[in-house]
Every structure is written in C-alpha cells, then in structure tokens.
Amino acid sequence: MDIAAEERLKGQAEIWEHMFAFVDSMALKCAVDLGIPDIINSHGRPVTMSEIIDRLKTATSSSPNVDYLTRILRILVHKRLFTSQLQQESNQTVYGLTRSSKWLLKDSKFNLSPLVLFETNPILQKPWQYLGKCVQENGTPFERAHGCEIWDLASSDPKFSNFLNDAMKCTNTTIIDEMLADYKGGFDGIESLVDVGGGTGTIIAQIVQANPHIQGINFDLPHVVATAPDFPGVKHVGGDMFVDIPEADAVIMKWTLHDWSDEDCTKILKNCYKAITNKKNGKLIIVDGVLRPDGHDLFDKQRLVFDVLMLAHTSAGKERTEAEWKMLLNNAGFPRYNIISTPTFSSIIEAFPEQRMLKQPNGTLS
C-alpha cells in the first residue's frame, strides 16, 4: 500500500471513531445504570457473567439479557473501563474493575456516576442536535431544544434541579481535596468566606471543616439552598449573585463563572468586589479551568471539551485562557491575580481588589 492510500485509510478510520464516539458514552451510561461497577466491587474480586446476572435478577426480579450485557462489557473492556480474563479451570470470563471504573462506585468518596448520568441524559443530549443551527442562525442550543435556559428549567422542575445539584456535588469532593492540599495557607487570615453559587454547600462545608476559624456562607438561589443540609459553621443564604452578594473577608466560586458571558461575569465580579472591598484581607478565589489550546497535560483536552459543552448547555458560558481571565478580572476591579495549578481539571485563581497578594511558591504571579 502506498503512502497516499495508507493516509486515506487512516483518515477513514479516524472519522469512524469520531462518528461513533457516542457509543462509548451510551455503553458507559448502561453500566452505571445497571450498577455493574458496584456489583463487581461488592464481591471484592473479579466476577463471572453469571454472578453479575444473578445480582441483576435479585435487584429487578427480571431475566437480564446475557448476550446484550456481554457485548456491552466487551466494548467497555476494550476502552479499559473494565478488565476481562478467561479462567482456564472453569473456562469462564471474569470481569474486574480498573482505575477508571473505580470512579463509578456509588459508595466511594470519589464517585462521578451522577455526572455520567447527567451528561448522558436525553435532556442534556438533545441540545447537541442544534449546534449547527445555532452557528448559522445564532440562539442557544439548550433553549432551542427545550424552550428555556438550563437555569430556568432547574428553577421550575425540582427533579431536574436535584439532578443538576447531584451532578455538580460529585465533582466537589475531588476538587476540594486537591485544593486543600495545594492551597495550604490560602485561607489564613480569613474569618468569613462566602461560596457564591455554592449549591447545597458541600465545598464550603469541607473548607470550614479543615479551617474551623472560618465562618462559612453558602450562597445560591433560594430554591437551591432550600434543599441544602445543615453543616457545622455554615450558614445558607438565598439570593441572586447578579443583584448582591453577602459581605465576607473572601469570596470563593467553583465552576460558576464558566457558565456565563463576559458581560454577566463582570456583573458578578463587581458584586464580589463590593462584598470584599472593605475587608482588610479581602480577596476572591476562583476555582475554574484555565484553557490552554496547545497544552498537553492530563486535562487539557477535557477543558476544550468543556468549552464546547458550555455552548450546548448554557446561554453564553465558556472556558477561558489566562489572557481572558486577566481581562475579565481587570475590567471588574481586580488588577492583580495569581494562578495556582492543581493536578485536577481546575486551577485556583486568587484575585485582589488592591495591591495585595499571597506568596505561593507554586503559583504564577501576574
């Protein structure tokens, strides 16, 4: 085969791979829906197909389709979500967990199953069908698909609101664990901290638990904080970040600003400025992605994916490069900032309303 023919063949294979990438997502959703990772984990060892089927029968009182499940697991094994090995003595295949599927265990502290089920739900899948239409005619894919923005749907539909909150909550544990490890000293001198867009309060609760000197305020829309559990040292406050933010020594926002346009973010950031500007050690802490289009670290591709995800699911949200963050912060009255990298998807961006900056040995001063 000549070089041109080989290149043409590789190009064809790549298109097939991209075209059917959704099969991987749907197979993953199926495994999570059925609780396959938990079934394997409950045995404490790799299990046979018959053991998986027996557990499914017990759970549903039905007769699962063995052929379907075998074929679904086969592709997930190929994608390294599970392992498979033929036992010579019994001539049966046993299935085990991998480092990936261990992130799908419901009883694990690090469990991304709610996010998997959220992103593969038909409500979240439908807007993707409108991307091309919105490129040609403007508008937003989510609104085209459902007649309203995602936040309006969450406000009017308690079931969807809980679905959204659970998806966001499952990302918090991982991010906050890494943050507390990489941001040592970052909360020194802070007596009060407000988490803007804090959902049901899991992030602020963990920060307060690790820093008992802080009085935490979990701030979100009234219908969100109405479902929030009680946490020691945390006060839940309902309101609108576009109108006013409770005063505190510092403001923290995780995965909030990437949901909004530059114009909306400026409004939010100016309200953050008002909330902390009269405080001696006032600062803003943003936990969000920093886009590096030419980067090659573990999560650089996923940040690009999230940027397009914002197109599909929000009205004008986006991931931002450092230059875009700098412009946004400067326009809102935060002329100084410090980016601290973490091993996770998100970085920590400290921003200061005046010439005040904490020294961070692993940070980039700007």
Side-chain angles (χ1 to χ4, degrees), residues 47-296:
V47 298
T48 63
M49 178 59 69
S50 60
E51 288 176 311
I52 296 175
I53 293 297
D54 286 343
R55 186 64 64 85
L56 291 176
K57 283 181 180 178
T58 302
T60 62
S61 301
S62 62
S63 298
N65 191 310
V66 178
D67 179 59
Y68 279 17
L69 185 56
T70 300
R71 291 155 65 184
I72 290 165
L73 285 179
R74 183 165 58 194
I75 192 170
L76 291 175
V77 167
H78 183 75
K79 298 300 292 186
R80 297 177 182 161
L81 279 159
F82 298 98
T83 63
S84 68
Q85 185 175 5
L86 182 65
Q87 289 184 326
Q88 297 298 329
E89 60 274 13
S90 64
N91 198 34
Q92 292 190 82
T93 299
V94 292
Y95 299 92
L97 300 174
T98 66
R99 64 187 181 190
S100 299
S101 45
K102 287 177 182 177
W103 279 87
L104 304 173
L105 299 174
K106 292 177 181 175
D107 292 334
S108 171
K109 179 181 179 182
F110 305 109
N111 171 27
L112 289 177
S113 288
L115 188 60
V116 170
L117 296 177
F118 182 73
E119 293 297 346
T120 56
N121 185 276
I123 293 174
L124 278 298
Q125 290 286 302
K126 189 175 180 181
W128 291 103
Q129 303 298 321
Y130 293 86
L131 274 183
K133 201 82 170 170
C134 289
V135 168
Q136 290 180 310
E137 302 173 3
N138 292 312
T140 61
F142 195 93
E143 190 168 6
R144 289 263 185 159
H146 300 294
C148 64
E149 292 188 12
I150 190 170
W151 316 116
D152 297 326
L153 182 59
S155 179
S156 63
D157 185 340
K159 184 178 179 180
F160 181 76
S161 179
N162 290 335
F163 195 30
L164 172 63
N165 288 335
D166 286 345
M168 294 302 99
K169 180 181 176 181
C170 80
T171 67
N172 290 344
T173 299
T174 305
I175 288 175
I176 198 61
D177 271 24
E178 293 294 345
M179 181 181 184
L180 291 172
D182 295 320
Y183 197 51
K184 289 187 170 108
F187 297 107
D188 291 351
I190 295 176
E191 295 181 3
S192 57
L193 176 67
V194 56
D195 185 357
V196 175
T200 55
T202 54
I203 280 187
I204 192 69
Q206 285 182 265
I207 293 174
V208 170
Q209 184 179 25
N211 301 271
H213 64 280
I214 293 177
Q215 174 61 48
I217 302 169
N218 178 51
F219 181 68
D220 211 312
L221 293 168
H223 76 269
V224 176
V225 298
T227 65
D230 291 333
F231 295 110
V234 175
K235 178 183 179 182
H236 298 293
V237 177
D240 186 343
M241 63 187 175
F242 288 102
V243 176
D244 192 41
I245 290 172
E247 191 173 288
D249 290 333
V251 171
I252 187 169
M253 288 186 286
K254 174 256 179 184
W255 287 18
T256 298
L257 295 177
H258 75 172
D259 290 329
W260 302 97
S261 67
D262 288 349
E263 181 181 0
D264 284 334
C265 283
T266 300
K267 293 177 183 176
I268 297 167
L269 288 169
K270 284 184 176 180
N271 283 336
C272 291
Y273 181 93
K274 293 176 185 176
I276 64 173
T277 192
N278 293 325
K279 298 294 184 176
K280 180 180 179 182
N281 297 312
K283 69 175 174 178
L284 171 65
I285 305 166
I286 301 169
V287 183
D288 224 319
V290 177
L291 202 62
R292 300 190 310 161
D294 299 323
H296 298 287

